[in-house]
Amino acid sequence: MHQTDRQEPAEQDAMPRRYSQTNRRAVAEAIIRMDESWIALFGDTGLSDLCYCDLFTHMWLRRDQSLRKTDLYAFMPSISRRTAVKYVQQLIDQALLDESPAEHDRRVRWVTLGTAVAERLERFFDQSFENYSKLRT
């Protein structure tokens, strides 16, 4: 590429404006409604922080897989690993996550969503879908 053929960084990174400010506002409002829905559904359990939303969503997406306890920490990227370890253990202690030993290796602990959490999470997904589906109208 010749010096004259190079694009300025702003030109390279600029995306064409495809959506109006009205569309962007509608998305921003849907995000706020989604956060409020999370708080309404999980606030009484002390799990209103969105790091729990990340964890539970990742676990739900992988509900047909066996998840090691240590796999879960990466599902909470907004907090430190040390804090994630503490939070996951608290969820197990509160019976919000189910933990069981692996038969082949006693050091491995399998963890799944508890039924109550899974049910609330699916209500959250339903409400979020309703909020976002309104954007098309």
Side-chain angles (χ1 to χ4, degrees):
M1 185 180 250
H2 296 316
Q3 183 74 9
T4 56
D5 293 336
R6 289 180 30 162
Q7 292 180 326
E8 293 296 319
E11 291 176 33
Q12 292 172 346
D13 296 335
M15 289 180 47
R17 296 186 116 199
R18 296 177 43 189
Y19 301 100
S20 69
Q21 291 297 85
T22 301
N23 294 132
R24 291 179 180 133
R25 181 177 183 82
V27 169
E29 289 171 348
I31 291 169
I32 296 298
R33 282 192 303 273
M34 184 179 72
D35 290 350
E36 289 170 347
S37 174
W38 179 265
I39 292 166
L41 286 167
F42 287 92
D44 67 317
T45 63
L47 305 176
S48 59
D49 191 296
L50 293 178
C51 70
Y52 295 108
C53 180
D54 293 340
L55 172 66
F56 296 158
T57 300
H58 280 286
M59 290 181 73
W60 187 88
L61 287 169
R62 293 163 181 81
R63 66 193 177 280
D64 59 336
Q65 302 172 18
S66 297
L67 295 172
R68 295 173 188 244
K69 187 176 181 179
T70 56
D71 294 336
L72 305 183
Y73 310 140
F75 298 163
M76 303 174 89
S78 63
I79 59 175
S80 71
R81 181 177 173 88
R82 170 176 262 166
T83 302
V85 168
K86 180 176 87 172
Y87 285 2
V88 167
Q89 189 58 53
Q90 287 173 346
L91 293 168
I92 292 167
D93 293 344
Q94 295 169 356
L96 297 170
L97 297 179
D98 298 327
E99 180 184 42
S100 58
E103 291 180 21
H104 71 282
D105 186 344
R106 304 294 276 164
R107 296 171 295 175
V108 175
R109 308 294 291 175
W110 302 116
V111 181
T112 57
L113 287 171
T115 303
V117 170
E119 289 172 358
R120 283 185 197 223
L121 188 59
E122 289 178 355
R123 284 198 312 262
F124 169 72
F125 292 152
D126 292 347
Q127 289 176 4
S128 296
F129 183 81
E130 288 176 20
N131 283 328
Y132 280 102
S133 64
K134 292 175 186 173
L135 294 176
R136 294 182 182 213
T137 58

